Amino acid sequence: QNDGAPMRTYSKTSDVIAPAPAYLFTFTEESMCTMDDAYMQMGASPSYIPNAPANYHLSGCCFGFTDGHAQPKHWTGDVLPYLPYKKNVTQAPADKGSPGDKDWVWLRRRAGSTNLTGITYDILANQADTP
């Protein structure tokens, strides 16, 4: 779920057309400090992380994608490596959270799609990073 934006919903695997299954994460480790329900919520801005992904394994966590592959991700941006991992703290420090934060951009591209039209497209086409 993305806080502040309508998002495509997926009821079955065949619904996953945007982003493509190799780019949509289905499972991840959430920080024990923000775990409060059964889903991972994305904030509408890089400085607000309602449900923070874990930062346990060498400053990162693992993601399971819809196509079946798994990938570790190490946080190197402005927010996640520095987010205070304390209960109910979901706001980055005041000097962190630029709109181009590479961790937030990586997460946002793989968390879902605001494309509600049903047109198939690859959200990461021509991007430098890979799944």
Side-chain angles (χ1 to χ4, degrees):
Q1 179 174 339
N2 184 359
D3 185 40
M7 297 295 290
R8 173 180 291 283
T9 57
Y10 311 97
S11 299
K12 53 190 176 185
T13 307
S14 61
D15 292 341
V16 180
I17 59 172
Y23 297 102
L24 179 70
F25 73 83
T26 309
F27 297 102
T28 190
E29 300 170 87
E30 184 176 339
S31 168
M32 64 183 170
C33 297
T34 64
M35 198 175 301
D36 58 356
D37 50 32
Y39 59 88
M40 173 119 165
Q41 183 178 8
M42 289 288 300
S45 75
S47 62
Y48 178 58
I49 313 275
N51 296 127
N55 192 5
Y56 306 139
H57 310 289
L58 299 172
S59 296
C61 67
C62 292
F63 287 84
F65 289 81
T66 309
D67 71 344
H69 85 277
Q71 175 183 351
K73 174 64 179 162
H74 300 282
W75 308 123
T76 58
D78 293 336
V79 177
L80 291 176
Y82 308 102
L83 188 66
Y85 281 84
K86 298 176 186 169
K87 185 121 178 95
N88 298 321
V89 175
T90 59
Q91 194 74 26
D95 63 335
K96 307 292 182 192
S98 65
D101 179 76
K102 55 186 166 182
D103 293 334
W104 186 85
V105 170
W106 189 93
L107 275 168
R108 175 64 192 87
R109 288 180 176 165
R110 289 157 180 83
S113 174
T114 56
N115 173 4
L116 304 176
T117 65
I119 299 169
T120 303
Y121 76 108
D122 186 345
I123 194 169
L124 295 175
N126 301 317
Q127 298 295 326
D129 56 11
T130 58

